[in-house]
Amino acid sequence: SAVISQKPSRDICQRGTSLTIQCQVDSQVTMMFWYRQQPGQSLTLIATANQGSEATYESGFVIDKFPISRPNLTFSTLTVSNMSPEDSSIYLCSVQGSTNIQYFGAGTRLSVL
Amino acid sequence: GQQLNQSPQSMFIQEGEDVSMNCTSSSIFNTWLWYKQEPGEGPVLLIALYKAGELTSNGRLTAQFGITRKDSFLNISASIPSDVGIYFCAGDAGGTSYGKLTFGQGTILTVHP
């Protein structure tokens, strides 16, 4: 399994500001994903982070709000832009191994005031 | 989009009891995954299922991939206090949706000593 490090682990932000979350993997992986987990809810896929090209966003999520970078096969960032209290969630990155299994980071717990 | 219906939503059991939870879908999945999430952590993979009818065990945990490919169940035998957490099923439909996991709503498990 892969070791995934996410930073920051938690943050409290003011509305209207932006936060960039980093995801670092200890090995090269083809597929990386970003999920949102709203309070008391399940996980919802935001986008697939593609290395060398634009991310692929799921319905309901747009690049202007959640810009994603994937500069190489071990690193990705997710930015939550122009935050509002509704953006308060846990944001998780995951990577897919060779056997179609996804491994998750510990998540970033975001509170927006 | 695809939805997974997971039940029960929560369970309160005594230590030593067996637990069963399941997920159903209106559409077919090629892979079923079961995860456990504890407070402050990301989901951790428990069992992965790849073929219809497959029955797989991991210690006290047993999971099955339904014959119709539209359902899966997870059993925990002889529960212990450290089994406490939220259990999620997740499905991968494959094809153009390869790698994009759909998650169930989660089952919150509480074990009383």
Side-chain angles (χ1 to χ4, degrees), chain A residues 56-105:
Chain A
T56 306
Y57 289 84
E58 297 302 303
S59 176
F61 298 96
V62 295
I63 187 171
D64 290 346
K65 177 67 176 177
F66 298 101
I68 287 170
S69 78
R70 178 89 192 270
N72 57 53
L73 293 176
T74 64
F75 186 78
S76 178
T77 67
L78 168 76
T79 298
V80 187
S81 303
N82 188 23
M83 288 183 285
S84 67
E86 292 71 34
D87 294 319
S88 298
S89 292
I90 302 172
Y91 293 87
L92 298 133
C93 74
S94 74
V95 303
Q96 181 147 311
S98 58
T99 52
N100 199 23
I101 292 172
Q102 283 191 28
Y103 301 96
F104 286 82

Side-chain angles (χ1 to χ4, degrees), chain A:
Chain A
S1 65
V3 176
I4 302 164
S5 302
Q6 260 189 256
K7 292 181 183 179
S9 58
R10 60 179 64 245
D11 207 341
I12 301 173
C13 300
Q14 297 295 321
R15 69 173 66 208
T17 63
S18 298
L19 176 72
T20 295
I21 302 167
Q22 298 179 2
C23 181
Q24 178 76 52
V25 191
D26 68 341
S27 58
Q28 293 186 339
V29 292
T30 304
M31 302 186 79
M32 293 180 75
F33 304 89
W34 287 97
Y35 289 81
R36 181 177 72 183
Q37 186 176 24
Q38 294 177 299
Q41 302 296 313
S42 186
L43 285 75
T44 301
L45 180 63
I46 297 172
T48 303
N50 301 309
Q51 195 267 327
S53 64
E54 200 169 274
T56 306
Y57 289 84
E58 297 302 303
S59 176
F61 298 96
V62 295
I63 187 171
D64 290 346
K65 177 67 176 177
F66 298 101
I68 287 170
S69 78
R70 178 89 192 270
N72 57 53
L73 293 176
T74 64
F75 186 78
S76 178
T77 67
L78 168 76
T79 298
V80 187
S81 303
N82 188 23
M83 288 183 285
S84 67
E86 292 71 34
D87 294 319
S88 298
S89 292
I90 302 172
Y91 293 87
L92 298 133
C93 74
S94 74
V95 303
Q96 181 147 311
S98 58
T99 52
N100 199 23
I101 292 172
Q102 283 191 28
Y103 301 96
F104 286 82
T108 295
R109 280 141 188 84
L110 172 63
S111 295
V112 183
L113 304 178

Side-chain angles (χ1 to χ4, degrees), chain B residues 50-95:
Chain B
Y50 299 104
K51 287 194 288 191
E54 180 181 353
L55 183 71
T56 297
S57 294
N58 177 9
R60 292 179 295 106
L61 279 60
T62 301
Q64 185 158 30
F65 193 141
I67 290 290
T68 65
R69 295 166 62 192
K70 295 182 179 180
D71 63 311
S72 178
F73 72 76
L74 174 71
N75 287 342
I76 305 173
S77 63
S79 59
I80 58 178
S82 62
D83 290 333
V84 166
I86 306 176
Y87 291 79
F88 290 101
C89 63
D92 185 334

